[in-house]
Amino acid sequence: MTYFEFLNEHGITLLLGTVTTVKVLVCSMILYVIISMIFGLMRLSKNPLIQGTATVYIEFFRGTSLLVQLFWAYYVLPFFGISLEAFTAGVVALGLNFGAYGAEIVRAGILAVPKGQWEAAHSLNFTPAKRIKRIIIPQIFPIILPPAANLTVELLKATALVALVTVVDLTFEAKQINSITWLSAQCFGTALLIYYIMARFALVPFLRWLEVLAARKVGKEKA
Amino acid sequence: MEMGWRWDFTYEILPQMAIATLNTILAAGVGYAIALIVGLFFLLAQRTPSKIFNWVNREIVEFIRSTPLLIQLFFVYFVLPQFGITLSAWVCGMITIGLHFGTYMSEVYRGALEGVSKTQWEACRALNFSTIYTYRRIVLPQAFPIAIPGMGNYLVGIFKDTPLLSTIGVAELFHAATAVGGYNYRYLEPYTLVGIIFLTLSIPAAMWIRKLERDVNISQGKIKK
């Protein structure tokens, strides 16, 4: 069987799997960005309770393996009467895990905003909420986007794990085709290529574009 | 089926989990050692004068870095036998982890070397030190503290990625938990134990790395006690 015959026969299946992978990626990306913002801010709170909650959350999700969290969400939560669909469990686990890493990036980004900006906002009598929303947050994007871009590529790679809790994504399809045809080089090779193309020619250019956009917004042109 | 946490079951499976934990630590240690060495090779390949060679090396690193470790594991495990190379799951897993994290490690090394100020090189040139002497006595001692956080993070990173090895049948902690869970049809205790074991190992490791980072910086005179 030549490679073209293989693609002819299984290409559609792999592409359908890719669509699911993209769905998982987009959903978990949205979730992780929201979580990182909330917990990144909570981490800087002066209230020890709020700060402690955020610290425990971050240390917990960064200290355990994503796969364990995924299996926990899918196989253990039903013990407590919470049955999540595989897709939901996957997205939630990915979002919570990457949210913990993202929160640290957000925290570092907020700390990197020059102190004078805080003081200026203070002296102009902005309310704390307005200070964060209008002065600080817009300035953190150029700082946090490069590390967040790395994290997002890691997220794309991590979406492969949801196949192990029976989400029918690209990895799942590749495994399935492998177990039927035993054309391992073709199906896993193709899957690797698709992931590579997604990361290199879609996700990374998109994130670079965001970086340029964010830099322009605060008046720092980026080459 | 009984709901809620069962302590008797927990005690029953604990010895099995403890043994499997040793396997996990072994896998992480060996994988890390390979990654450290592979990283050196990628670094050397980057620093050769040949442009084509550099480009090929960069593309390989980029490819390995932007594809999932899970599929790389499957690829190595299932494809090599097609070419007549049959390796055990352990060996496949170690090779894949070593290669995957070796690419990350080479970036850590590169960043550390570039973090040493260029004037240090110029000063050594002016003092007529040989290249080897410059590396050994001037550049590497300064690059090392810069590399420590990255190297430490990837040690913990590899440790947390070892559960992936269970998918090709390496008998590490997660594999044991799945086996025990499937046998008794109780996943609550095994998977929770895995989480707890990971936490109890990775948080002290992360703290130790932070302390090491500080100690090295103190010994370099960068920060005061």
Side-chain angles (χ1 to χ4, degrees):
Chain A
M1 199 186 216
T2 65
Y3 187 58
F4 283 106
E5 280 168 27
F6 171 82
L7 277 188
N8 200 13
E9 201 164 317
H10 300 291
I12 296 294
T13 321
L14 286 172
L15 277 184
L16 284 177
T18 310
V19 172
T20 312
T21 294
V22 172
K23 275 188 205 159
V24 174
L25 175 69
V26 171
C27 292
S28 49
M29 207 158 113
I30 294 169
L31 186 60
Y32 111 74
V33 169
I34 296 171
I35 290 177
S36 344
M37 280 292 171
I38 295 171
F39 281 90
L41 284 170
M42 278 171 70
R43 190 87 158 75
L44 289 169
S45 165
K46 288 206 178 73
N47 182 332
L49 191 69
I50 295 176
Q51 202 208 340
T53 314
T55 309
V56 167
Y57 163 77
I58 290 168
E59 290 297 328
F60 177 79
F61 278 93
R62 291 189 347 152
T64 51
S65 176
L66 172 62
L67 192 60
V68 180
Q69 291 157 19
L70 204 58
F71 272 60
W72 216 85
Y74 190 61
Y75 291 108
V76 178
L77 279 188
F79 274 93
F80 301 106
I82 308 165
S83 287
L84 296 178
E85 229 177 288
F87 184 89
T88 319
V91 167
V92 167
L94 283 171
L96 287 174
N97 183 281
F98 279 78
Y101 288 91
E104 284 292 282
I105 294 178
V106 170
R107 187 184 73 100
I110 293 173
L111 289 178
V113 172
K115 218 169 168 208
Q117 298 287 330
W118 289 91
E119 286 161 1
H122 209 97
S123 62
L124 288 169
N125 202 20
F126 283 6
T127 59
K130 203 174 178 189
R131 203 156 64 205
I132 287 281
K133 206 176 124 220
R134 302 297 297 274
I135 309 295
I136 306 303
I137 296 282
Q139 292 192 66
I140 67 172
F141 285 110
I143 306 169
I144 65 171
L145 272 174
N150 281 339
L151 192 63
T152 310
V153 175
E154 292 293 318
L155 176 67
L156 169 64
K157 287 159 60 183
T159 58
L161 296 193
V162 297
L164 301 175
V165 291
T166 71
V167 176
V168 187
D169 74 334
L170 178 55
T171 309
F172 191 91
E173 296 288 14
K175 248 178 95 177
Q176 205 75 344
I177 296 168
N178 179 53
S179 61
I180 300 167
T181 61
W182 285 104
L183 295 166
S184 308
Q186 283 91 331
C187 58
F188 290 129
T190 313
L192 282 176
L193 265 180
I194 295 176
Y195 274 109
Y196 177 65
I197 291 168
M198 279 200 284
R200 188 81 190 274
F201 301 107
L203 190 57
V204 171
F206 169 69
L207 295 164
R208 290 281 168 277
W209 175 75
L210 278 187
E211 276 172 39
V212 173
L213 209 68
R216 202 173 291 154
K217 199 115 194 192
V218 294
K220 280 182 203 151
E221 285 295 327
K222 207 172 174 190
Chain B
M1 190 168 46
E2 206 183 323
M3 301 306 260
W5 186 271
R6 267 179 51 193
W7 282 107
D8 56 329
F9 183 58
T10 311
Y11 292 131
E12 195 185 309
I13 63 174
L14 208 53
Q16 219 173 328
M17 304 291 273
I19 292 170
T21 306
L22 292 181
N23 274 345
T24 288
I25 294 172
L26 181 70
V30 175
Y32 187 60
I34 297 175
L36 285 180
I37 296 163
V38 170
L40 270 185
F41 279 105
F42 278 123
L43 177 75
L44 288 177
Q46 269 173 9
R47 292 174 90 81
T48 49
S50 158
K51 273 223 170 77
I52 299 169
F53 194 71
N54 276 341
W55 181 79
V56 171
N57 177 59
R58 211 169 39 240
E59 288 303 310
I60 292 174
V61 167
E62 203 53 51
F63 186 84
I64 296 177
R65 277 171 64 110
S66 49
T67 50
L69 178 62
L70 182 65
I71 304 191
Q72 290 171 4
L73 273 176
F74 289 152
F75 193 86
V76 172
Y77 188 63
F78 289 110
V79 175
L80 285 186
Q82 288 190 347
F83 297 97
I85 309 165
T86 312
L87 300 171
S88 73
W90 264 98
V91 177
C92 282
M94 294 298 90
I95 291 175
T96 317
I97 284 194
L99 261 181
H100 188 87
F101 283 94
T103 58
Y104 286 90
M105 215 55 90
S106 74
E107 289 297 302
V108 172
Y109 295 152
R110 192 179 58 87
L113 282 183
E114 280 172 8
V116 177
S117 161
K118 234 187 163 136
T119 52
Q120 298 285 323
W121 277 99
E122 285 160 10
C124 292
R125 178 71 51 80
L127 290 165
N128 201 20
F129 289 170
S130 71
T131 311
I132 292 174
Y133 189 84
T134 308
Y135 265 118
R136 197 162 63 87
R137 299 300 299 270
I138 311 294
V139 175
L140 289 184
Q142 293 185 74
F144 189 56
I146 307 174
I148 281 185
M151 286 168 78
N153 281 344
Y154 287 122
L155 173 61
V156 179
I158 288 176
F159 174 63
K160 280 186 293 189
D161 269 350
T162 52
L164 292 189
L165 294 173
S166 68
T167 55
I168 56 168
V170 175
E172 46 69 70
L173 182 55
F174 194 70
H175 192 266
T178 309
V180 164
Y183 188 71
N184 299 287
Y185 213 73
R186 272 190 83 80
Y187 287 104
L188 170 62
E189 290 87 356
Y191 284 153
T192 309
L193 268 183
V194 172
I196 294 170
I197 292 172
F198 266 96
L199 268 183
T200 48
L201 287 171
S202 68
I203 288 182
M207 275 158 66
W208 175 70
I209 290 158
R210 247 170 283 170
K211 187 183 171 296
L212 190 69
E213 198 184 322
R214 217 181 113 78
D215 288 352
V216 171
N217 275 332
I218 288 170
S219 73
Q220 299 273 319
K222 282 212 180 120
I223 52 173
K224 294 213 165 65
K225 252 182 193 169

